[in-house]
Amino acid sequence: MSTSTARIGLDIGGTATRIALVAATDVVDAVTISTPTSHTTAVTELRTAIESLLQRAARPIAGIGIGASGPIDRDGVIRNEDTLPALTGIDLPNALGAAFGVPVVVDNDAVTAALAEYRVGAGTGAAAMLLLTLGTGVGVAVVRRGAILRGGDGLHAEAGHITVPNGPAPCYCGRATCLEQTASRSGLQRRARAATGVPDLQELRRSATTDAAARRVLEDYGTRVGEGIIELATQYRPDRVVLGGSAATLLPAFADAMQQTVSAMTSAPVPEITGTALDDLGGAIGAALLTATEEQS
């Protein structure tokens, strides 16, 4: 175990929150809790989970990093009524900073996952890495030459809401055919439930070996993910694409359809596509790394 300065990283998703105690890039300890659903108890729930990690490890920390589905404003306050209503509007940097006496940094969860993949995961060595997280929603981040690509205002672009063809339903973002609705784990589960009655992802994967309807759902999903990659690759021209999030665990089942779709692209070089090397804890590791990055900036 590393004796480097320890930091806490939180990866706050729509349904689950992963919290890791990280020294350098080594995970010392970790816990997963349900993402808070009550605005009044959200900070207490997060603080209690962090305290439990620190009590077990019996070591000080230098900072807390948080990745959450955006938008995130300049002050690190989550502004996401649609997927994180209980945490929207809460000043987590001040609330958790006061509780633990350390700096707290909040950024988009795709940013934190991308930092981890680029530095110690599947994106290592890429000139330009595009990360897609396929979870409750779709997160997108681009790392070029070690730096996160951001907008002119310094904030992270919500590229998971680009328009793609044949969306199943309108998105809360206002678009009728949105990548988040077609490529998210939630979208896959909706289509699986409608076509097969089986929303569980691993059961869907097992069923696909014998059930033509389940197989078609996964092939269609692969095509939709591939269409999203084409749109994003046309804009950002990455040499590597990394897929994370819970739906990426099914990559072997939809990879052929996705790759076939992307291989037809002529608007940009066809990138290498791979799954995450960090599994569920990548976002939390990246959030911890984010605190060290902020100190150096």
Side-chain angles (χ1 to χ4, degrees):
M1 183 182 72
S2 171
T3 58
S4 302
T5 301
R7 304 171 192 276
I8 290 286
L10 287 81
D11 179 20
I12 303 178
T15 55
T17 293
R18 295 175 179 87
I19 306 173
L21 177 64
V22 179
T25 57
D26 298 330
V27 176
V28 177
D29 198 358
V31 66
T32 299
I33 64 171
S34 296
T35 295
T37 57
S38 167
H39 193 78
T40 57
T41 63
V43 172
T44 299
E45 292 176 51
L46 295 179
R47 188 179 67 236
T48 299
I50 294 170
E51 287 171 346
S52 70
L53 282 182
L54 296 180
Q55 288 170 0
R56 289 203 297 265
R59 63 187 300 174
I61 56 171
I64 296 173
I66 299 173
S69 54
I72 312 290
D73 70 18
R74 286 180 176 274
D75 297 320
V77 177
I78 299 166
R79 304 292 181 185
N80 186 348
E81 290 281 4
D82 294 287
T83 60
L84 290 178
L87 291 161
T88 290
I90 296 176
D91 189 347
L92 289 177
N94 278 332
L96 294 179
F100 294 98
V102 296
V104 178
V105 183
V106 183
D107 210 326
N108 188 282
D109 56 353
V111 168
T112 58
L115 282 173
E117 293 291 349
Y118 185 83
R119 295 185 185 178
V120 296
T124 303
M129 185 202 79
L130 171 70
L131 174 87
L132 275 79
T133 58
L134 311 174
T136 304
V138 171
V140 179
V142 177
V143 184
R144 283 180 176 163
R145 299 182 182 90
I148 293 289
L149 181 65
R150 298 185 185 272
D153 59 359
L155 299 181
H156 183 71
E158 293 294 330
H161 291 292
I162 60 172
T163 298
V164 294
N166 303 318
C171 181
Y172 61 84
C173 73
R175 293 191 166 185
T177 54
C178 175
L179 179 62
E180 183 156 303
Q181 297 304 306
T182 65
S184 64
R185 182 208 69 230
S186 305
L188 173 58
Q189 288 175 313
R190 285 193 298 270
R191 289 193 295 278
R193 184 182 292 108
T196 69
V198 180
D200 179 81
L201 296 187
Q202 298 309 319
E203 179 60 30
L204 177 69
R205 180 179 180 177
R206 288 190 291 270
S207 298
T209 59
T210 57
D211 185 339
R215 191 159 52 250
R216 283 193 298 271
V217 167
L218 287 166
E219 289 172 352
D220 177 65
Y221 180 71
T223 298
R224 293 174 186 271
V225 172
E227 288 168 347
I229 291 174
I230 288 175
E231 292 295 323
L232 293 164
T234 298
Q235 298 173 45
Y236 300 118
R237 301 177 72 84
D239 59 321
R240 192 174 307 165
V241 175
V242 178
L243 302 181
S246 50
T249 61
L250 275 68
L251 180 58
F254 65 79
D256 287 347
M258 175 190 67
Q259 193 67 60
Q260 183 175 1
T261 301
V262 176
S263 295
M265 177 174 59
T266 59
S267 53
V270 175
E272 174 191 0
I273 305 173
T274 185
T276 174
L278 300 175
D279 299 321
D280 291 342
L281 288 176
I285 294 169
L289 293 176
L290 184 67
T291 68
T293 300
E294 289 293 315
E295 288 176 5
Q296 297 164 7
S297 62

